[in-house]
């Protein structure tokens, strides 16, 4: 997990994360098949207890912490392949064991059938069920992450749009526009009052100052004037360096738009 996280900014991060997933699954399978006595007998006992399957499901679930659909899918695919390899080893182990826990059989599949007879299921069904469940778990987790990321992206986009609107409109207008975005798409003609604000002689005076101070002065000017425009019900159409263009009567017009524009100019 640390290696996959450390290489998150690498150009080859997907390949490295895939390699880490292969190593993780390998460790899980080796740990679940590591024998107390005999490799083959222990593999058969682990298979009936489904220890490797449960740990692989837990591993795929843990991959959701990356919040990456691709990492979850890769982890799930590698886990399924690892489980198939585990089943192949179980079949091989059954071929090497003549009897286990009192069960004797003439063939590997017959031995596996006897081991699962208490569950009243065929060995191949027993194996396929685990693969299907592992695949479904991977798909559900990947789908949940995709939906979560989609909702987060939409929320961030909506908040960004709201933040952009707040630069040009008063808070109450922003709320109305955010609640009905179609208002911005509909074109219409209406009366409005337009106020141009400019600092007289600022260009000549600012030629003597470095760019940092010029930007600071312009921002300070905007911080003082914009709230006054909003206070009188206007919106900012555009910033013009040391000046700005404000509109009163858009997106919603009132009978007092011209009066509000004059009062705003007086207060500025």
């Amino acid at each position: 997990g640390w290696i996959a996280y450390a290489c998150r900014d690498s150009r080859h991060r997907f390949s490295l994360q895939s390699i880490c997933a292969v190593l993780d699954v390998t460790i899980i399978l080796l740990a679940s098949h590591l024998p107390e006595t005999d490799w083959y007998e222990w593999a058969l006992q682990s298979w009936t207890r489904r220890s490797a399957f449960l740990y692989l499901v837990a591993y795929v679930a843990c991959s959701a912490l990356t919040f990456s659909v691709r990492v979850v899918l890769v982890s799930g695919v590698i886990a399924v392949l690892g489980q198939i390899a585990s089943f192949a080893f179980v079949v091989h182990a059954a071929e090497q064991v003549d009897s286990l826990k009192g069960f004797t059989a003439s063939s590997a599949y017959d031995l596996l059938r006897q081991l699962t007879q208490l569950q009243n299921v065929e060995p191949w069904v027993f194996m396929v069920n685990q693969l299907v469940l592992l695949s479904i778990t991977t798909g559900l987790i990947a789908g949940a992450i995709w939906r979560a990321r989609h909702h987060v992206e939409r929320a961030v986009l909506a908040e960004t749009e709201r933040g952009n609107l707040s630069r040009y409109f008063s808070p109450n207008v922003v709320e109305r526009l955010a609640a009905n975005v179609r208002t911005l798409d509909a074109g219409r003609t209406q009366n409005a009052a337009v106020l141009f604000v400019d600092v007289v002689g600022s260009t000549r005076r600012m030629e003597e100052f470095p760019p940092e101070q010029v930007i600071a002065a312009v921002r300070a000017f905007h911080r003082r004037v914009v709230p006054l425009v909003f206070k009188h019900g206007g919106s900012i159409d555009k910033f013009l360096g040391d000046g700005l263009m404000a509109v009163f009567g858009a997106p919603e017009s009132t009978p007092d738009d011209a009066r509000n524009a004059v009062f705003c100019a007086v207060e500025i």
Side-chain angles (χ1 to χ4, degrees):
W2 180 85
I3 295 175
Y5 179 77
C7 69
R8 66 191 182 280
D9 297 326
S10 171
R11 189 173 55 165
H12 307 290
R13 63 182 180 276
F14 182 67
S15 299
L16 294 173
Q17 289 169 346
S18 300
I19 293 173
C20 290
V22 171
L23 294 175
D24 289 338
V25 171
T26 301
I27 291 172
I28 291 173
L29 293 176
L30 289 176
S32 61
H33 289 86
L34 191 65
E36 289 183 350
T37 52
D38 180 80
W39 271 97
Y40 300 132
E41 291 187 1
W42 186 255
L44 294 173
Q45 295 181 41
S46 300
W47 173 66
T48 56
R49 288 197 300 268
R50 299 195 292 181
S51 56
F53 166 73
L54 295 175
Y55 279 111
L56 288 175
V57 170
Y59 172 71
V60 174
C62 288
S63 68
L65 296 175
T66 63
F67 211 56
S68 169
V69 175
R70 188 163 63 172
V71 171
V72 172
L73 291 176
V74 168
S75 301
V77 169
I78 294 175
V80 169
L81 294 176
Q83 188 71 339
I84 293 175
S86 172
F87 291 155
F89 182 72
V90 167
V91 174
H92 173 70
E95 293 174 348
Q96 308 302 317
V97 176
D98 295 328
S99 62
L100 178 68
K101 294 185 176 181
F103 294 106
T104 58
S106 57
S107 66
Y109 191 79
D110 188 35
L111 178 60
L112 295 178
R113 177 186 285 117
Q114 292 186 52
L115 291 175
T116 58
Q117 68 179 359
L118 295 178
Q119 303 180 35
N120 196 27
V121 63
E122 284 289 324
W124 70 268
V125 176
F126 185 72
M127 296 179 184
V128 169
N129 280 344
Q130 296 183 42
L131 296 177
V132 170
L133 288 174
L134 191 55
S135 301
I136 291 176
T137 301
T138 300
L140 289 175
I141 294 175
I145 291 177
W146 181 85
R147 283 177 58 87
R149 289 178 65 97
H150 183 64
H151 286 308
V152 169
E153 289 171 358
R154 288 181 59 186
V156 170
L157 181 61
E159 193 61 32
T160 302
E161 293 175 348
R162 185 184 294 267
N164 290 333
L165 289 174
S166 65
R167 297 176 58 195
Y168 302 98
F169 299 99
S170 60
N172 59 332
V173 175
V174 170
E175 292 299 328
R176 291 199 297 271
L177 291 177
N180 186 15
V181 181
R182 294 179 181 177
T183 303
L184 298 177
D185 298 329
R188 63 179 183 269
T189 302
Q190 64 187 54
N191 292 327
V194 181
L195 170 64
F196 291 93
V197 182
D198 185 72
V199 180
V200 178
S202 63
T203 303
R204 176 175 46 80
R205 289 199 300 270
M206 288 183 179
E207 289 177 350
E208 305 173 0
F209 297 97
E212 294 80 7
Q213 292 186 17
V214 174
I215 295 299
V218 170
R219 287 179 175 173
F221 168 72
H222 290 166
R223 281 196 300 270
R224 293 190 181 199
V225 175
V226 170
L228 299 179
V229 174
F230 292 164
K231 174 182 175 182
H232 292 277
S235 59
I236 305 298
D237 182 274
K238 59 178 64 69
F239 293 100
L240 308 169
D242 61 336
L244 56 84
M245 173 182 169
V247 178
F248 297 78
E252 298 177 356
S253 61
T254 68
D256 298 325
D257 291 332
R259 177 185 177 188
N260 292 335
V262 172
F263 283 175
C264 178
V266 171
E267 187 165 357
I268 291 175

